[in-house]
Amino acid sequence: MSMSKPEDILNRIYDQALPEPADLEQALSWDKPQELERLFNFADTVRKEYCGDGIIPRGIIEFSNFCDKECSYCGLNKNNRKLGRYRMKAEEVLKSAGHLFSCGIRTVVLQSGEDPGSDVSWLAEMIKQIKSQFALSITLCVGERPFQDYRRWKDAGADRYLLKIETSDKELYRQMHPGMSFEQRIGCLDALRESGYQVGSGNIVGLPGQSRESLARDILFFKQNNFDMIGIGPFIAHQETRLAGQPKGQALLTLKVLALARIATRNAHLPATTALGSLGEDYRQEGLKCGANVLMPNFTPLPYRKLYEIYPDKKCVNEPVGACNFCMEQMAKQINRFIDYTKGDSLKFKGVTLNV
Ligand code: SAM
């Protein structure tokens, strides 16, 4: 590894068309207060220059927790027979969308497990209904589907799609996703882009067996793919999964990955994820101070929200719907930022040229 000073390493990560994995790995190893301060300040400066001081809220509705996948980390995995399963009715989804719209939020994220019972036409109709009643952007986060479903939903009016790669390390991906294929995941991301979506991806930090090199390669993967949004959150073990009892991903490591992703990608939308707020302490404000520019308040109705247990002790699981506005406003005010109640489209279309 090079013996460069932190400033030189950070400048290279920022400037180079494709940063050196060794530079990213070295920055991920920093733990001295001065090194961390330089990293986080650099990321905050890049965030300010490319995204401004606004924090964009995206209201999430978790409309079904049925899932036919077996992801090793996720509480929704199909083998978790202890979980009560639900599928919201169309009227309930519309009501929740109306609620977040009335709170001033202009993006709804419709998320679910990979629900075999969630029919392509049902969701297409849902998208049309939401679009006809509210001036909302729609982000879908419903996993791997036949490519014609992606096109159908795009034609119905969906704007964006979030499909995290979870890890760009093929071997780790294989271990974490029995019965799934890394190549298929990449194929889905390509198909989403080809269908005209603004595309988001992301990873989980602190998966058992994940190395620093693997995290460095995740950041390169984000940069190479020029994603419009990138969700970076810590791993939190769920008791009804293969990874029960494994240690949580560290907040500090997650913040370092977030900061480096900001420096490398410059203008991608980066949320301070709910998982970052669910580590016992709430680290979302720290995330906002080192690169993040998005928050994702939860608008799933309360009885269902508890059942969307991807990991335990999820932030705000008992908060009344709508309490998020006050909380977000406070969080923003404390760090001299503001909540930006616009749709928050991709910044990649704004003529910002990246050196990729
Ligand atoms: N099934 C869809 C998909 O694959 O995109 C969306 C739903 S999935 C439950 C949403 C996200 O939850 C995943 O992308 C994953 O990163 C995150 N997640 C699930 N279990 C987790 C855990 N134990 N710790 C941290 N994040 C987790």
Side-chain angles (χ1 to χ4, degrees):
M1 275 198 192
S2 75
M3 297 301 289
S4 311
K5 289 191 290 200
E7 284 80 359
D8 298 337
I9 293 174
L10 292 172
N11 280 322
R12 285 203 297 268
I13 293 170
Y14 177 72
D15 281 333
Q16 284 175 355
L18 210 51
E20 294 294 328
D23 279 338
L24 289 163
E25 257 187 271
Q26 188 150 354
L28 286 169
S29 76
W30 290 340
D31 54 11
K32 294 196 189 78
Q34 315 88 289
E35 292 168 335
L36 293 171
E37 198 183 319
R38 283 192 185 112
L39 168 61
F40 294 155
N41 285 346
F42 199 114
D44 198 44
T45 307
V46 176
R47 186 271 310 151
K48 195 174 174 67
E49 183 177 348
Y50 286 89
C51 310
D53 282 339
I55 298 170
I56 304 159
R58 319 255 195 226
I60 182 161
I61 304 173
E62 298 148 335
F63 66 90
S64 162
N65 70 352
F66 281 91
C67 193
D68 67 355
K69 294 284 195 279
E70 297 180 64
C71 303
S72 301
Y73 44 81
C74 185
L76 304 192
N77 77 83
K78 73 172 182 190
N79 301 319
N80 181 4
R81 312 231 185 271
K82 294 195 179 154
L83 184 68
R85 304 282 172 167
Y86 71 89
R87 197 174 285 130
M88 283 170 66
K89 294 193 180 73
E91 310 86 81
E92 294 175 307
V93 178
L94 266 183
K95 192 170 165 207
S96 300
H99 191 174
L100 69 89
F101 183 75
S102 71
C103 290
I105 295 173
R106 293 295 174 261
T107 293
V108 60
V109 181
L110 299 177
Q111 192 183 94
S112 71
E114 306 213 2
D115 180 356
S118 168
D119 165 64
V120 57
S121 307
W122 182 88
L123 188 52
E125 190 50 35
M126 195 71 258
I127 293 164
K128 282 187 196 156
Q129 291 280 334
I130 292 175
K131 281 285 184 180
S132 68
Q133 294 189 33
F134 312 107
L136 282 170
S137 280
I138 299 182
T139 302
L140 300 178
C141 180
V142 301
E144 295 180 16
R145 299 285 297 215
F147 298 167
Q148 65 267 27
D149 292 6
Y150 292 154
R151 283 193 289 274
R152 176 91 183 272
W153 296 328
K154 186 78 190 61
D155 291 344
D159 303 276
R160 313 180 187 133
Y161 204 106
L162 182 57
L163 185 72
K164 288 171 69 173
I165 191 69
E166 317 294 4
T167 170
S168 65
D169 177 330
K170 278 191 199 175
E171 177 49 28
L172 187 59
Y173 186 93
R174 197 186 57 73
Q175 289 166 22
M176 293 294 135
H177 303 98
M180 291 170 69
S181 134
F182 184 81
E183 286 70 26
Q184 169 72 11
R185 195 89 173 164
I186 299 284
C188 287
L189 285 166
D190 291 343
L192 288 164
R193 185 71 91 196
E194 279 159 25
S195 303
Y197 287 93
Q198 296 172 41
V199 180
S201 196
N203 68 347
I204 303 181
V205 177
L207 287 167
Q210 190 177 44
S211 63
R212 225 180 256 151
E213 185 195 344
S214 155
L215 287 170
R217 294 205 177 273
D218 287 354
I219 298 164
L220 287 180
F221 176 83
F222 300 150
K223 167 99 178 175
Q224 273 171 314
N225 284 279
N226 205 22
F227 290 118
D228 302 295
M229 18 177 198
I230 302 159
I232 295 165
F235 162 69
I236 303 173
H238 189 288
Q239 60 284 8
E240 296 301 326
T241 63
R242 288 191 183 85
L243 300 180
Q246 294 284 343
K248 288 176 187 171
Q250 292 169 359
L252 182 60
L253 184 60
T254 311
L255 294 172
K256 286 192 259 187
V257 176
L258 180 61
L260 289 166
R262 167 58 68 213
I263 295 167
T265 70
R266 299 189 183 189
N267 63 352
H269 286 306
L270 303 183
T273 53
T274 306
L276 200 46
S278 308
L279 288 168
E281 230 176 282
D282 188 347
Y283 290 95
R284 287 177 302 171
Q285 199 174 56
E286 300 310 310
L288 292 169
K289 290 198 282 192
C290 71
N293 70 321
V294 171
L295 281 169
M296 299 183 74
N298 196 319
F299 280 80
T300 310
L302 268 188
Y304 300 128
R305 208 186 299 174
K306 286 198 178 97
L307 296 173
Y308 200 82
E309 200 193 41
I310 53 183
Y311 47 77
D313 303 321
K314 204 160 120 208
K315 186 75 191 156
C316 305
V317 94
N318 293 310
E319 294 294 310
V321 174
C324 299
N325 271 53
F326 178 71
C327 173
M328 288 191 307
E329 291 283 352
Q330 289 297 106
M331 213 187 285
K333 203 166 142 200
Q334 283 164 7
I335 54 172
N336 294 320
R337 303 262 288 278
F338 63 95
I339 301 298
D340 173 2
Y341 291 99
T342 60
K343 287 186 171 176
D345 272 316
S346 172
L347 297 171
K348 305 281 178 194
F349 302 124
K350 280 204 165 167
V352 179
T353 318
L354 291 181
N355 54 352
V356 285

